[in-house]
């Protein structure tokens, strides 16, 4: 069959279909001894609506959605076209008795009347609808914000969920870390999930931490919070405001040197350790961090050190010596904290700080003498204060005599 004959057949069949008003789909077969041609008037583009076609072009498949794509589409907000619309106050402003106004006002019957036109009505509606389409984050109060603005790490998410009849009254949970993690699988490929690391506590020595993972952020937060509530630990504190003694702790490559401080010192440490101290109930502490800054390692190293603390009675029994406290506000007068059941005078014990730190030494900068010690007036000052040189020692001696006389 020649091309001219094919075109003539197509033209004749199209005219016939128009005259007979054939409905789609219609299939035509052109046969010849050596040639056969099949024509279809339906396709994928004619069977689907325009909305479905555009959705297939712009949307993401289910497989792509599981892999974490199309995250930006969630921020789109549907516009409420009913917002700002009032019955009777449209393009034509009318007063409708029984609908927008009472039927009887006083002793008079209200009639349907036309109100004055508002030229800015349409403009205000368009402005309101444009503002509805813009995505706005939830504004938080300054004390509710986290470490970095409105991001979740550092923010409080409430107590863990109740377990049976047991409620977590007085507990508060803070998020320490929230990140996206990926796992390469054989059938799904790169699978995304959310990892959340939290710490919870009641501020009275009871605290715990937990890690939760899930496809959605809310599920991961709930899992981590409940897991932290199921793994609570009791932490010993000195006078309910600081640790019992200085200690050294290590997890992996992360090293912590923790020092107990007097009341009013505050929390001078890593921001994750600050959240842990608030959950435990520690108010005064200093922590020097060396090595890796992996957040989970920091938390685990700090909890290990808190759990390995020894009470003053235990230290007294181990060393066979009296445990005393020396503070500047007491003029460095020793105050007895614990005594051993059996004192061993022959037992050699190194320096207390070296003993509790396990022989570790904190790296410190060299302290240089103040600049004014090189001035001529400093020698004059030393000569004037020479007569007061033993006053501190005399004060301590008097306190010791007073204590012995009691």
């Amino acid at each position: 069959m020649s091309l001219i004959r094919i075109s003539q057949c197509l033209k004749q069949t199209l005219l016939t279909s128009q005259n007979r008003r054939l409905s789609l789909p219609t299939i035509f077969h052109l046969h010849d001894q050596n040639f056969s041609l099949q024509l279809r008037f339906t396709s994928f583009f004619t069977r689907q609506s325009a909305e479905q076609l555009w959705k297939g072009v712009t949307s993401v498949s289910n497989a792509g959605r599981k892999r974490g794509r199309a995250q930006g589409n969630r921020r789109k907000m549907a516009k409420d076209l009913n917002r700002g619309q009032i019955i009777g106050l449209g393009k034509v402003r009318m007063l409708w008795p029984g609908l927008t106004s009472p039927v009887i006002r006083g002793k008079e019957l209200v009639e349907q009347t036309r109100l004055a036109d508002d030229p800015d009505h349409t403009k205000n509606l368009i402005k309101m609808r444009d503002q509805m389409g813009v995505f706005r984050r939830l504004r938080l109060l300054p004390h509710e914000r986290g470490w970095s603005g409105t991001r979740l790490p550092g923010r409080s998410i409430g107590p863990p969920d109740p377990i049976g009849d047991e409620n977590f009254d007085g507990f508060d949970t803070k998020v320490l870390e929230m990140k996206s993690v990926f796992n390469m699988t054989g059938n799904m490929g790169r699978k995304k999930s959310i990892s959340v690391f939290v710490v919870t506590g009641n501020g009275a020595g009871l605290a715990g931490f937990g890690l939760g993972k899930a496809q959605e952020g809310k599920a991961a937060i709930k899992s981590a919070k409940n897991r932290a509530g199921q793994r609570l630990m009791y932490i010993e504190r000195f006078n309910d405001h600081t640790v019992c003694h200085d200690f050294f702790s290590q997890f992996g490559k992360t090293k912590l040197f923790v020092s107990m401080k007097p009341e009013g010192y505050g929390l001078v440490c890593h921001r994750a350790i600050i959240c842990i101290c608030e959950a435990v109930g520690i108010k005064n502490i200093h922590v020097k961090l060396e090595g890796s800054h992996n957040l989970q390692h920091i938390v685990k190293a700090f909890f290990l050190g808190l759990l390995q603390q020894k009470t003053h009675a235990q230290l007294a029994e181990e060393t066979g010596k009296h445990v005393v406290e020396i503070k500047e506000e007491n003029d460095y007068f020793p105050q007895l904290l614990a005594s051993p059941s059996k004192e061993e005078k022959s037992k050699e014990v190194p320096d207390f700080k070296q003993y509790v730190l396990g022989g570790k030494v904190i790296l410190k900068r060299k302290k240089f003498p103040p600049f004014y010690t090189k001035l001529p007036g400093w020698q004059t000052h030393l000569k004037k204060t020479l007569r007061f040189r033993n006053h501190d020692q005399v004060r301590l001696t008097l306190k010791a005599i007073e204590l012995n006389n009691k």
Side-chain angles (χ1 to χ4, degrees):
M1 180 180 288
S2 62
L3 293 176
I4 299 174
R5 187 177 175 187
I6 293 174
S7 61
Q8 291 176 354
C9 293
L10 287 174
K11 185 176 181 181
Q12 183 179 0
T13 52
L14 288 174
L15 291 173
T16 306
S17 63
Q18 290 179 359
N19 295 333
R20 296 181 181 179
R21 297 179 181 178
L22 296 175
S23 60
L24 296 176
T26 307
I27 301 175
F28 298 94
H29 295 274
L30 301 178
H31 296 281
D32 197 8
Q33 294 179 355
N34 301 322
F35 185 81
S36 177
L37 178 64
Q38 182 179 356
L39 299 178
R40 290 182 180 270
F41 286 93
T42 59
S43 66
F44 170 80
F45 299 100
T46 58
R47 286 196 300 268
Q48 306 292 337
S49 62
E51 183 179 354
Q52 292 173 332
L53 291 176
W54 278 112
K55 185 177 180 181
V57 174
T58 58
S59 64
V60 179
S61 63
N62 292 332
R65 198 178 302 278
K66 289 180 180 178
R67 295 182 183 180
R69 296 172 187 157
Q71 297 292 331
N73 297 338
R74 299 179 182 178
R75 295 188 177 182
K76 295 180 180 178
M77 300 173 62
K79 296 182 180 181
D80 185 10
L81 300 182
N82 294 325
R83 188 176 177 184
Q85 299 279 15
I86 303 175
I87 297 176
L89 299 180
K91 293 182 179 179
V92 179
R93 298 167 63 85
M94 297 291 295
L95 185 66
W96 300 92
L99 187 63
T100 61
S101 69
V103 179
I104 299 175
R105 184 173 295 163
K107 294 183 180 180
E108 297 181 359
L109 188 66
V110 180
E111 297 181 357
Q112 178 181 342
T113 55
R114 180 167 180 173
L115 303 175
D117 295 336
D118 184 8
D120 298 332
H121 175 71
T122 306
K123 188 186 297 183
N124 293 334
L125 271 181
I126 294 173
K127 184 178 179 180
M128 187 184 298
R129 290 171 183 173
D130 291 342
Q131 292 176 352
M132 281 190 291
V134 179
F135 176 79
R136 292 182 179 178
R137 293 184 178 273
L138 183 65
R139 186 171 183 179
L140 298 172
L141 297 175
H143 66 276
E144 294 177 348
R145 294 172 189 160
W147 298 334
S148 179
T150 57
R151 295 178 180 271
L152 200 58
R155 286 174 54 185
S156 174
I157 56 176
D161 297 337
I163 303 175
D165 297 334
E166 299 293 333
N167 296 323
F168 292 89
D169 297 330
F171 280 77
D172 189 24
T173 307
K174 286 196 173 182
V175 179
L176 301 180
E177 186 180 45
M178 184 177 183
K179 60 184 180 181
S180 300
V181 293
F182 296 89
N183 180 29
M184 187 63 72
T185 60
N187 54 351
M188 293 296 298
R190 200 158 168 257
K191 192 176 179 181
K192 178 184 176 182
S193 58
I194 305 297
S195 174
V196 179
F197 192 62
V198 304
V199 62
T200 185
N202 62 351
L206 205 59
F209 62 92
L211 177 67
K213 294 182 182 179
Q215 297 292 331
E216 297 294 334
K218 290 183 179 180
I221 291 171
K222 183 178 180 180
S223 174
K225 180 171 63 172
N226 295 336
R227 189 168 293 180
Q230 296 169 5
R231 301 177 179 179
L232 297 177
M233 297 164 275
Y234 183 73
I235 307 299
E236 292 285 348
R237 296 172 297 158
F238 177 63
N239 292 341
D240 295 337
H241 76 92
T242 186
V243 292
C244 295
H245 55 79
D246 300 353
F247 61 84
F248 167 79
S249 181
Q250 181 174 357
F251 187 90
K253 297 293 183 180
T254 302
K255 302 175 183 178
L256 298 180
F257 294 90
V258 182
S259 304
M260 62 183 299
K261 293 295 178 180
E263 293 189 29
Y265 184 83
L267 301 173
V268 183
C269 47
H270 191 274
R271 59 186 183 183
I273 299 179
I274 291 177
C275 291
I276 299 173
C277 292
E278 291 174 353
V280 174
I282 297 173
K283 302 170 186 175
N284 306 285
I285 198 175
H286 178 274
V287 182
K288 179 178 175 59
L289 172 62
E290 291 183 2
S292 173
H293 283 58
N294 186 311
L295 192 138
Q296 294 188 19
H297 286 194
I298 293 173
V299 174
K300 293 174 182 178
F302 189 60
F303 267 98
L304 277 175
L306 291 176
L307 293 173
Q308 291 173 357
Q309 288 184 110
K310 298 176 182 177
T311 61
H312 298 143
Q314 291 175 346
L315 289 173
E317 291 294 334
E318 286 182 5
T319 58
K321 305 289 183 179
H322 297 281
V323 179
V324 296
E325 182 184 17
I326 301 175
K327 294 192 290 187
E328 183 180 0
E329 52 266 29
N330 290 342
D331 292 330
Y332 299 103
F333 184 75
Q335 182 181 359
L336 185 64
L337 296 178
S339 299
S341 58
K342 185 178 180 182
E343 188 174 353
E344 299 180 13
K345 295 184 179 180
S346 62
K347 190 173 182 180
E348 293 185 5
V349 179
D351 181 62
F352 178 77
K353 198 160 191 176
Q354 290 276 326
Y355 181 77
V356 294
L357 289 177
K360 301 288 182 179
V361 179
I362 303 176
L363 182 62
K364 293 183 178 180
R365 291 183 179 180
K366 182 181 178 181
K367 287 188 177 181
F368 295 94
F371 70 94
Y372 52 81
T373 58
K374 299 180 181 179
L375 299 178
W378 178 248
Q379 299 298 328
T380 306
H381 168 73
L382 292 178
K383 291 176 182 178
K384 287 182 178 180
T385 57
L386 182 63
R387 53 180 176 171
F388 305 116
R389 63 187 183 277
N390 293 328
H391 277 202
D392 294 338
Q393 188 64 35
V394 171
R395 192 180 295 112
L396 286 176
T397 305
L398 291 175
K399 280 188 176 182
I401 295 173
E402 182 184 357
L403 187 65
N404 290 332
N405 293 333
K406 286 183 179 179

